[in-house]
Amino acid sequence: MTEQSTAPGWHDVNDTLVALATGDLRRDGEVQPCMAAFAGDELLFFAFLRSFAKGAYADPIIELLALAAPLAADRVAISMGARAWSLDDPIPPVLPDAGDLRQRVLVITAVDAATGDGRSTGTVIPFSCDGGAVRWSPPAVDGEHHEGWICGALEVLISERHRMTAGVSEIRRQAERCERLGHELHLGAAAADRLGLPAPYR
């Protein structure tokens, strides 16, 4: 993402998020949540979310959506690590001695109002991680409509984006605020030029 010629496009955003998650898993065995925002085919930013308490992802996501909206994002995707289990299991298989036996998955939630209807879709990709070896399985869920808070937040962003405008100086302040809060922000070249910031911006 450091060169404009290699900037990922929306058509391969899932592959890019999987590749970024693979790097995370090889480094420390965990997936760092990531958001990608586009205006049509133009990359606005990739951002690794700041740290947050378990389940307390709302504020970090809102902080980045507050940057995506005035940049006129009409395509947004978020990837997060999670655990999955069968509905046939009476309780989730988390045992004191054996640990968490639920399947590890990468969940990618996306909304596309550039060519789609603006409804969120989801992809759930199982994986295993043994040391530095990461193995991905075919998606268990691929492209189906999703529900939940993250899906709803993305749909609100897309449906209300025309009302969430701001001047360049205000958008730049939000980008800088996201950095101060701990997000790792990588602006696309056009967005960086518009805001007068380096690309990728750190």
Side-chain angles (χ1 to χ4, degrees):
M1 283 185 283
T2 59
E3 298 291 338
Q4 173 66 4
S5 60
T6 59
W10 178 256
H11 65 282
D12 55 13
V13 69
N14 277 19
D15 291 341
T16 301
L17 291 170
V18 168
L20 293 172
T22 299
D24 294 338
L25 291 166
R26 286 174 176 165
R27 279 191 300 274
D28 57 22
E30 297 294 336
V31 174
Q32 185 173 0
C34 185
M35 179 185 294
F38 288 75
D41 293 325
E42 177 188 302
L43 171 65
L44 297 174
F45 65 79
F46 271 82
F48 294 98
L49 275 64
R50 65 171 174 82
S51 60
F52 52 86
K54 185 177 180 179
Y57 48 72
D59 284 351
I61 289 176
I62 290 170
E63 290 154 9
L64 289 172
L65 292 182
L67 175 61
L71 285 171
D74 55 13
R75 289 169 159 168
V76 181
I78 298 177
S79 62
M80 302 185 78
R83 296 273 184 169
W85 67 96
S86 171
L87 293 177
D88 293 333
D89 293 327
I91 59 173
V94 182
L95 307 174
D97 296 329
D100 194 337
L101 303 179
R102 296 174 296 173
Q103 173 64 53
R104 300 185 73 185
V105 297
L106 182 71
V107 179
I108 301 175
T109 305
V111 62
D112 179 358
T115 59
D117 61 4
R119 289 204 315 162
S120 56
T121 58
T123 304
V124 179
I125 311 173
F127 68 88
S128 61
C129 181
D130 183 9
V134 182
R135 289 177 291 277
W136 296 93
S137 299
V141 176
D142 192 3
E144 295 183 6
H145 176 60
H146 269 206
E147 297 180 355
W149 187 89
I150 293 177
C151 308
L154 296 188
E155 290 175 356
V156 168
L157 167 79
I158 294 302
S159 65
E160 300 296 324
R161 68 189 185 282
H162 300 300
R163 301 171 57 187
M164 302 178 189
T165 59
V168 170
S169 61
E170 294 173 289
I171 302 172
R172 184 168 54 245
R173 282 198 295 271
Q174 182 61 19
E176 293 168 341
R177 176 174 180 265
C178 286
E179 281 282 299
R180 289 196 303 274
L181 290 170
H183 299 282
E184 183 181 331
L185 181 61
H186 300 261
L187 289 172
D193 287 345
R194 179 181 173 190
L195 301 181
L197 295 170
Y201 175 55
R202 288 178 177 270

